[in-house]
Amino acid sequence: MFDVLPASSPAMDPAVTAALITTPTTLVAAAAAYAAGSAQGRASVDAVRRQQQREVYAAFLTVARRHKADIIEALAQAEGIRLARAAGEPLRPEEEEQRRQAIAATAGANPSEEPAALVFLEGPDDLAYAALLIVQHAKTTCQLLTATPEHVGTMSRLHGRPMEVHDEFRRLDGAIHRFTLDAQAHLNGTALRHRRHRMRLMRRVWPVEP
């Protein structure tokens, strides 16, 4: 009633049977090895990229903080001009001119733009935006400073609205702090946990709305 396959049939060949049994295991093992290799390769690429980002962020922060220190010195020079005039004892012309030249030298420099461009290339978007805030607030602070250095501390009109140089400087300081926190969270992989902490901290160090 039933046909019996000959002993030489492939279905009964031990070698074929063994191949049919072992092939899925071999394929799975090969696929697993490939996936592991790919993951390891991606991890290596990510590590290199993260290190490159770390160097770019650090270079940008170094320049931004140095420029901030220069602006602080320029603010002190302008405050000296203002206080002398307010006391009715203006500085000697040559001394005031030296102060004005020092202020102009700081205000004319914009050292954070070039390293900020590298941050834009590296990303991510939130770090690029944070870098842009630093560049903008530094530029506006310098514009306000050079507009009327003898009236530093008073409101000046810039971009169609009244602005005060010390308020803008506080925004610059807050922007640098924000970038530092965002870069730390991105590099350490703690971005989600970091956001709420950043908001609490920023309310203390950046009281003036941008």
Side-chain angles (χ1 to χ4, degrees), residues 104-126:
T106 297
N110 202 355
S112 58
E113 278 193 339
E114 185 173 340
L118 295 179
V119 176
F120 268 74
L121 289 176
E122 289 293 334
D125 290 345
D126 56 344

Side-chain angles (χ1 to χ4, degrees), residues 94-114:
E94 58 272 21
E95 182 180 352
E96 182 169 326
E97 181 59 24
Q98 286 179 348
R99 287 175 179 264
R100 287 180 178 275
Q101 288 179 0
I103 294 168
T106 297
N110 202 355
S112 58
E113 278 193 339
E114 185 173 340

